[in-house]
Amino acid sequence: MKIEKDYEWGYLCSQVDGYLSGAIKKPTVQLTLGQKVTAVVVAKNKLGAPYLEIHEDSDNA
């Protein structure tokens, strides 16, 4: 996933070379725009958009 937008409540991101997009809710590890991270889908909103999570033990930090 590539970090596209940084908001007070979290980050919007999109899949690199794909069609999936979602949100990572803060608090989480500090991310920067354009950064590529590995994220896991943990839930969906009522419209089906995924909520993502980053595990701190991964290579993202």
Side-chain angles (χ1 to χ4, degrees):
M1 302 299 285
K2 182 178 177 184
I3 305 302
E4 299 287 335
K5 303 270 186 184
D6 182 358
Y7 296 103
E8 286 184 26
W9 56 264
Y11 300 95
L12 289 183
C13 51
S14 62
Q15 183 179 12
V16 176
D17 297 327
Y19 301 102
L20 181 68
S21 62
I24 300 171
K25 187 177 174 185
K26 290 179 182 176
T28 187
V29 296
Q30 180 68 36
L31 301 171
T32 58
L33 295 179
Q35 181 178 357
K36 294 178 183 174
V37 297
T38 302
V40 177
V41 176
V42 293
K44 292 182 181 180
N45 69 14
K46 63 183 178 180
L47 300 174
Y51 291 121
L52 307 166
E53 190 173 276
I54 294 176
H55 297 284
E56 291 185 38
D57 60 343
S58 68
D59 296 334
N60 295 317

